Amino acid sequence: MSKITLNAHPGEISKGIEFIREVLTEKKVSKKEIAGTLLTAEEVLAKLIANSQNETDTVQVQVKSFLGNVRIHMSCRGDQFDIADLQSLFDYSDEMDVETEVVIRNLMNKVLGDNITISNKRHVNIADIQVKVSQYQQLIYTLLALGLGLLVGLVFKFFVPDFITAAISENIFASVSTMFLNSLKTIVAPLVFFSIASSIADFGDLKALGKIAGKVVGCYLFTSVIAITIGYLVYQMFPIGDPALVEAVSVDAASAISNSGGISVSIKDTIVNIIPTDYISPFLKADMLQIIFIGALLGLGASKLSDRDAGFRRAIFSANAVFSKITAIIISVMPYAVFCSMAKMVIDMNIGSLIKVAAWVPVCYIGDILMIAVYLILILAVARLNPLKFLKSFFPVMLTAFTLGSSNATMPATIKTCDEKLGISKKVYSFSIPLGATINMDGSCITQIISALFMAKVFGVTITGSTLVTLIVAILALSVGAPGVPGGCLVCISILLPQIGIPVEAISLIMGIYTLVGMGHTCTNVTGDAAVTTIVARSEGLVDLNKYNS
């Protein structure tokens, strides 16, 4: 931290500005960011000094940096003021009417509000100016939470009495994780609904929308077929499965999973069930395909309204903005949930089961890694973009998906990165990302095919050509209808196994360590959503290359 003390006198402003310039230059802040920051800092300093109570007051100026973030902290005794009082930051004209002036003031207040906070505590004005926000901030916090959760979980598991460990795990760790996931579940349906609706309503040319939608769906199906192929080939290279594991099958452990229906393995039924019988039950059941359908209808209807009825479209856009902001607030506390989730997983993990079926985990991860490599190749070959830039920008989201184990929960972070880091137009990502979180489950496809072949070997089931075709069709159908929540793929596997003559009780073999694999394939699912979105946006000329390559 660097700081300087100034006298509360207008002549000291230049001294303070020069200090800020030097420190920001040392911290390698870009010239563009420095220029904008200095203009704002000069106005804030002037206001602090103008509102000071007497000439003996001093102004404290500090430049703080932490984990790549840089901000300026200034304070001085004086009368209270707020952002709207920084008059010279607003470009007013003498001929400007009052209504226009209010609009501009509100706009500038909104823009500055994200970068400046001003408060008055005990007659001391305090101003904080955010100069730079590290793109790795969430990544660092999540990594720290992940590591700390792992460490705390191990300590409780091996060094704390069982009754204390169980009480803390169930009453604290499980409760925090459940509350966080519940908050995400409540926001996902309206977020998807209004995101789809606003995306379609924003299109002036519905033919262009149909073209983009066709490309998105086609690419998702194409990558799903590739994923199944990769999973099959990986298993052929590493044919895991020991018939002796049959003895470890637990009927009771699998009962909850085997009774969870609601997902169809019929492609025809999946398509037919997209159209709901009413507008309420899809939200109550969190049926994402039906929610997407209703959102698309609303968007289509809004896009047909004339300019005189544009208020309804604006209401849809406003609702989308509100739920996006709520989601951002929820995501901001994610590291705490990651810590609790990881600690609970380590405490609850059955070490014996982990050892017996340990080979299943790395084989699935090999498939996931190969699929991510395919995405990067497609970005290079089809979109003709630097795949390493994509990987660098999207890696924090991949880690988020890995820790949360939920495509739906990761969707807000995916949307934000597509917008701010990858430079993708909202016209594409606001449609493709919610859709992908529902129908694009490439990592899950890999896990399902490997798991099915693994179980077939354990139970001595021969996989013939017709059986393999049945597997592929069922996996494609399940990938479309699978819930994008933690454990969703496990439900799909339990439905898939009986289709090829394997008892559903076999699911108990992998239940104990499924979380490890679930984290990996969720990361792949989410990466696939962003990769397809990037490829489609590039084909339509809707990628800001300057932002993508920055």
Side-chain angles (χ1 to χ4, degrees):
M1 179 181 68
S2 303
K3 65 179 181 178
I4 188 174
T5 301
L6 308 173
N7 295 322
H9 187 275
E12 295 280 88
I13 293 178
S14 59
K15 181 179 178 181
I17 294 301
E18 187 57 33
F19 164 76
I20 294 173
R21 184 198 306 274
E22 291 176 358
V23 176
L24 294 184
T25 301
E26 291 176 1
K27 295 185 179 300
K28 298 181 179 180
V29 177
S30 70
K31 292 181 179 180
K32 181 179 179 180
E33 289 175 321
I34 291 177
T37 300
L38 292 181
L39 288 173
T40 305
E42 184 176 2
E43 297 300 330
V44 174
L45 272 175
K47 195 63 182 177
L48 285 171
I49 292 173
N51 281 35
S52 61
Q53 296 178 339
N54 55 66
E55 295 182 355
T56 61
D57 289 334
T58 59
V59 181
Q60 302 292 328
V61 180
Q62 303 174 359
V63 180
K64 302 179 179 180
S65 60
F66 180 68
L67 297 177
N69 300 319
V70 180
R71 67 185 181 93
I72 300 170
H73 179 85
M74 295 182 283
S75 62
C76 180
R77 289 184 62 83
D79 299 327
Q80 185 174 359
F81 70 97
D82 57 31
I83 295 174
D85 294 321
L86 303 177
Q87 296 286 346
S88 55
L89 282 178
F90 304 93
D91 185 16
Y92 298 130
S93 168
D94 293 336
E95 300 178 355
M96 186 177 295
D97 58 79
V98 175
E99 184 178 351
T100 304
E101 180 179 328
V102 170
V103 172
I104 294 178
R105 177 183 289 274
N106 289 338
L107 177 62
M108 292 301 295
N109 199 15
K110 179 182 178 182
V111 172
L112 293 175
D114 291 335
N115 300 310
I116 302 177
T117 58
I118 296 175
S119 60
N120 186 286
K121 298 179 180 178
R122 297 181 180 179
H123 305 294
V124 175
N125 286 311
I126 301 172
D128 278 292
I129 304 174
Q130 189 72 49
V131 180
K132 182 179 179 182
V133 177
S134 172
Q135 64 176 321
Y136 299 110
Q137 174 178 289
Q138 191 73 5
L139 170 63
I140 293 172
Y141 288 153
T142 305
L143 276 175
L144 289 174
L146 192 67
L148 189 59
L150 177 63
L151 179 62
V152 169
L154 290 173
V155 169
F156 273 99
K157 189 175 184 68
F158 295 108
F159 299 104
V160 177
D162 290 345
F163 73 95
I164 296 178
T165 298
I168 292 177
S169 177
E170 291 303 319
N171 296 315
I172 299 179
F173 296 153
S175 298
V176 172
S177 299
T178 300
M179 287 190 294
F180 179 73
L181 289 175
N182 284 347
S183 66
L184 287 171
K185 290 176 183 177
T186 61
I187 202 65
V188 163
L191 182 67
V192 169
F193 176 73
F194 284 110
S195 179
I196 291 290
S198 63
S199 172
I200 295 176
D202 195 32
F203 264 93
D205 184 1
L206 292 181
K207 289 184 178 179
L209 170 62
K211 183 181 177 182
I212 290 176
K215 286 185 176 181
V216 169
V217 174
C219 286
Y220 282 154
L221 291 176
F222 175 68
T223 56
S224 293
V225 172
I226 292 178
I228 295 173
T229 304
I230 286 177
Y232 178 79
L233 294 176
V234 167
Y235 182 81
Q236 298 308 311
M237 291 188 290
F238 305 98
I240 57 174
D242 183 354
L245 288 172
V246 172
E247 298 177 1
V249 172
S250 170
V251 176
D252 293 335
S255 59
I257 297 294
S258 63
N259 291 327
S260 56
I263 302 176
S264 173
V265 295
S266 167
I267 293 180
K268 183 199 74 173
D269 291 344
T270 299
I271 295 174
V272 170
N273 290 333
I274 288 176
I275 301 178
T277 57
D278 60 82
Y279 292 114
I280 304 300
S281 59
F283 291 91
L284 297 177
K285 297 184 298 182
D287 190 321
M288 300 312 295
L289 287 178
Q290 293 184 351
I291 290 172
I292 288 173
F293 176 81
I294 298 173
L297 282 183
L298 180 66
L300 285 171
S303 68
K304 292 292 186 179
L305 295 176
S306 64
D307 292 338
R308 289 179 300 176
D309 301 315
F312 186 72
R313 286 206 302 270
R314 287 197 295 270
I316 294 175
F317 300 147
S318 297
N320 185 47
V322 167
F323 284 108
S324 295
K325 180 60 70 174
I326 293 173
T327 303
I329 295 172
I330 295 172
I331 291 297
S332 66
V333 300
M334 185 184 67
Y336 301 101
V338 169
F339 165 78
C340 293
S341 178
M342 180 56 66
K344 184 178 185 304
M345 187 192 77
V346 172
I347 291 171
D348 295 344
M349 185 180 294
N350 187 315
I351 302 301
S353 297
L354 176 62
I355 295 173
K356 290 180 180 179
V357 292
W360 177 64
V361 178
V363 172
C364 290
Y365 271 86
I366 291 172
D368 292 332
I369 293 170
L370 290 176
M371 192 64 212
I372 292 174
V374 168
Y375 295 142
L376 299 180
I377 293 172
L378 290 175
I379 289 173
L380 175 63
V382 180
R384 298 192 181 282
L385 294 171
N386 186 341
L388 297 181
K389 293 282 187 180
F390 171 88
L391 191 62
K392 180 181 178 182
S393 298
F394 201 70
F395 183 73
V397 182
M398 294 169 67
L399 184 68
T400 299
F402 184 84
T403 52
L404 288 180
S406 168
S407 298
N408 286 339
T410 312
M411 186 170 59
T414 306
I415 289 175
K416 182 178 180 181
T417 300
C418 285
D419 180 28
E420 298 179 1
K421 303 299 180 183
L422 298 178
I424 297 171
S425 171
K426 183 181 178 181
K427 290 184 176 181
V428 181
Y429 72 70
S430 61
F431 174 81
S432 64
I433 297 302
L435 184 66
T438 303
I439 73 170
N440 186 48
M441 300 288 178
D442 296 341
S444 299
C445 288
I446 292 171
T447 299
Q448 288 179 56
I449 187 70
I450 291 176
S451 301
L453 297 174
F454 167 59
M455 297 296 183
K457 188 172 182 179
V458 171
F459 283 84
V461 175
T462 302
I463 301 296
T464 61
S466 60
T467 305
L468 186 60
V469 171
T470 300
L471 268 178
I472 294 173
V473 173
I475 290 172
L476 283 174
L478 288 170
S479 69
V480 172
V485 297
C489 183
L490 193 62
V491 175
C492 291
I493 295 172
S494 70
I495 297 172
L496 180 68
L497 295 181
Q499 306 299 314
I500 57 174
I502 300 174
V504 71
E505 289 79 13
I507 201 75
S508 65
L509 287 176
I510 58 176
M511 285 177 61
I513 58 170
Y514 168 77
T515 301
L516 293 174
V517 171
M519 295 162 76
H521 71 234
T522 301
C523 176
T524 305
N525 293 343
V526 171
T527 305
D529 297 344
V532 167
T533 299
T534 302
I535 292 169
V536 173
R538 175 63 166 160
S539 71
E540 294 293 317
L542 296 175
V543 177
D544 184 340
L545 296 180
N546 291 329
K547 188 179 288 187
Y548 182 93
N549 293 314
S550 64

